[in-house]
Amino acid sequence: MGSSLPFDLILEILQRTPAESLLRFKSTCKKWYELISNDKRFMYKHLDKSTKRFLRIENRERVQILDPVTEILAVSTIPNELRHKYFTLIHCDGLMLGMCYEELGSDPNLAVWNPVMRKIKWIKPSPPLVCYWGSDYLGFGYDKTFRDNYKILRFTYLGDDDDDESYPKCQIYEFNSGSWRSIEAKFDGEIDVEVDGVSVNGGMYWIELQEKKNFILSFDFSKETFNRICDSPLYWDIKRLGCFNGDRLSLLQQNEATREIHVSVTNKLSDEVVSFSRYFSVTLPDIPLFRSIDILPLPGCFIGKNRNIIAWCEQLVGKYDDHTSIILYEIGEGGVTKRIRTGRHEADEDYNDLDNCSYVYVPSLIPVPE
């Protein structure tokens, strides 16, 4: 295809073009097809320049992706084989690791899904296991030596009275090998089940509970070890752990009674010493609660670079709380600066009984393993 523009300039433009549009450009010419489909260097440069979106499972058939900057809401279909009723999702490089349940209490299935490319791969358990457990904990990241060597961490707690020695406590699944293997990684505390873990720069992070204080627990997918990287601030019960600025952690904590919010962030996770410092606070009462309330799922949120909180959540509305509105919020130190209604649900409408209203997500061209 002829062009008056230098290819380096075209490359720069394409790296800043949304992934959804790039997929449509693949048929432009062979050079663009190879670049968008197979050039890993281009894929990762494009990913590193992409911006955060929200992903929301609307029902068994549709997924919504919201750009909080442009406020554009895109809707696409969910692959037939992924149409389960309950999901738990972890994001890494545009790939979603999903623990999927047909019904509560049923044995879960595990899948890797790229929503933009609409591709999935089911990850089968390793023998002698025939299914996963609902009590399994998951992590998702990559070996920093080879970024495209994505790995899944799976671990569980075994009680003292559990005599099933064949059940592995900790396993790693590698995309490159397509198989599970047991590892000896251990830690002493307990994961805070009220706070979702987060994948940042290839590592996985959780809040670890101890009697006197809490820690940030990490799993290094290169060394395949658990590590305590720093203390976790202790304020209130409502806590949300997230990725900040691509290479740091954020921790949002909220007082349920007053709705006051404290936001803390770390320095770079690659630094020798990591710690949290207060970033900003919001003391006004007209802000949503950042936890599940009754039938309302957990809001999706992230911390912006301008000392603000971006959230996509559900709220009960109507005289008799007979439906919910789906609302995009932007909250700064002075309170709510943006409140946009993006949809609604009737109280009796049949849709997913999800733990999370939405997930923070970055669309990417990274392929799902074959």
Side-chain angles (χ1 to χ4, degrees):
M1 178 180 177
S3 173
S4 59
L5 296 176
F7 187 71
D8 286 348
L9 179 57
I10 294 176
L11 201 61
E12 183 66 25
I13 294 171
L14 292 178
Q15 287 171 0
R16 299 177 185 276
T17 302
E20 300 90 335
S21 298
L22 286 181
L23 293 178
R24 296 195 295 270
F25 296 165
K26 288 169 65 173
S27 59
T28 302
C29 63
K30 288 183 178 181
K31 193 170 186 178
W32 283 26
Y33 181 89
E34 286 298 316
L35 184 75
I36 296 168
S37 301
N38 300 316
D39 191 322
K40 291 183 179 179
R41 188 165 175 265
F42 172 80
M43 290 178 186
Y44 284 111
K45 283 193 172 183
H46 176 270
L47 174 63
D48 291 339
K49 292 179 180 179
S50 298
T51 58
K52 290 180 179 177
R53 314 284 179 88
F54 286 112
L55 180 145
R56 180 173 180 273
I57 308 296
E58 184 182 18
N59 53 42
R60 287 192 181 220
E61 297 181 355
R62 298 196 302 176
V63 60
Q64 298 178 337
I65 297 177
L66 174 67
D67 185 331
V69 176
T70 65
E71 300 165 14
I72 294 175
L73 180 64
V75 179
S76 62
T77 57
I78 298 175
N80 290 334
E81 58 269 43
L82 199 61
R83 293 182 180 180
H84 288 62
K85 194 172 183 180
Y86 303 93
F87 287 85
T88 301
L89 297 174
I90 302 173
H91 170 263
C92 178
D93 283 1
L95 301 175
M96 306 298 291
L97 176 66
M99 187 72 90
C100 316
Y101 302 80
E102 185 60 34
E103 299 291 341
L104 285 178
S106 63
D107 293 329
N109 296 304
L110 191 62
V112 177
W113 172 37
N114 185 321
V116 169
M117 302 181 75
R118 302 181 187 180
K119 300 291 186 180
I120 68 167
K121 176 180 176 64
W122 292 105
I123 310 296
K124 296 180 179 180
S126 63
L129 297 179
V130 294
C131 66
Y132 300 105
W133 290 13
S135 58
D136 287 343
Y137 290 82
L138 296 174
F140 193 21
Y142 52 81
D143 188 325
K144 292 183 180 179
T145 307
F146 305 100
R147 184 171 177 178
D148 61 337
N149 186 18
Y150 293 95
K151 297 181 180 182
I152 300 168
L153 168 70
R154 171 177 169 269
F155 63 96
T156 191
Y157 294 111
L158 291 178
D160 294 336
D161 58 348
D162 195 322
D163 58 0
D164 186 0
E165 295 296 333
S166 66
Y167 187 76
K169 291 185 178 180
C170 199
Q171 285 186 315
I172 287 287
Y173 180 91
E174 288 194 56
F175 281 23
N176 285 357
S177 67
S179 61
W180 290 98
R181 53 184 169 81
S182 296
I183 61 173
E184 294 298 323
K186 296 180 181 179
F187 62 96
D188 298 329
E190 181 180 347
I191 299 294
D192 187 343
V193 296
E194 300 297 325
V195 184
D196 289 343
V198 61
S199 179
V200 181
N201 259 2
M204 191 72 197
Y205 299 86
W206 303 268
I207 293 180
E208 179 191 1
L209 302 177
Q210 291 282 357
E211 288 187 12
K212 296 184 178 180
K213 62 180 179 179
N214 299 340
F215 300 91
I216 297 298
L217 179 72
S218 74
F219 185 82
D220 185 322
F221 282 93
S222 299
K223 299 178 181 178
E224 298 185 353
T225 56
F226 289 102
N227 302 283
R228 288 177 182 162
I229 64 166
C230 66
D231 294 351
S232 175
L234 284 173
Y235 298 110
W236 299 306
D237 289 337
I238 300 177
K239 301 181 287 290
R240 302 298 304 277
L241 191 64
C243 172
F244 176 69
N245 204 28
D247 57 2
R248 310 163 196 232
L249 291 176
S250 65
L251 182 62
L252 180 154
Q253 300 190 83
Q254 186 176 35
N255 184 309
E256 185 169 355
T258 66
R259 303 207 175 193
E260 181 179 354
I261 289 175
H262 289 325
V263 175
S264 301
V265 298
T266 66
N267 50 312
K268 291 183 179 180
L269 294 169
S270 58
D271 291 346
E272 186 174 348
V273 177
V274 178
S275 63
F276 278 97
S277 59
R278 182 71 62 81
Y279 189 41
F280 67 95
S281 298
V282 185
T283 58
L284 299 179
D286 61 335
I287 51 181
L289 281 173
F290 286 86
R291 70 165 180 82
S292 300
I293 308 171
D294 299 325
I295 65 170
L296 299 181
L298 193 67
C301 67
F302 65 89
I303 307 303
K305 297 180 182 179
N306 299 317
R307 298 180 186 272
N308 58 351
I309 304 163
I310 314 298
W312 200 23
C313 58
E314 293 192 33
Q315 289 189 329
L316 287 168
V317 292
K319 184 176 180 180
Y320 303 104
D321 289 341
D322 54 357
H323 66 277
T324 66
S325 283
I326 319 300
I327 299 173
L328 173 67
Y329 278 98
E330 184 174 329
I331 303 166
E333 293 178 275
V336 176
T337 58
K338 180 189 291 186
R339 185 182 187 277
I340 298 174
R341 181 175 172 272
T342 64
R344 61 175 283 168
H345 277 300
E346 299 299 332
D348 59 351
E349 187 175 348
D350 181 22
Y351 69 102
N352 287 8
D353 186 8
L354 298 173
D355 291 333
N356 291 56
C357 172
S358 61
Y359 294 86
V360 179
Y361 160 75
V362 180
S364 82
L365 303 170
I366 307 301
V368 171
E370 296 296 332

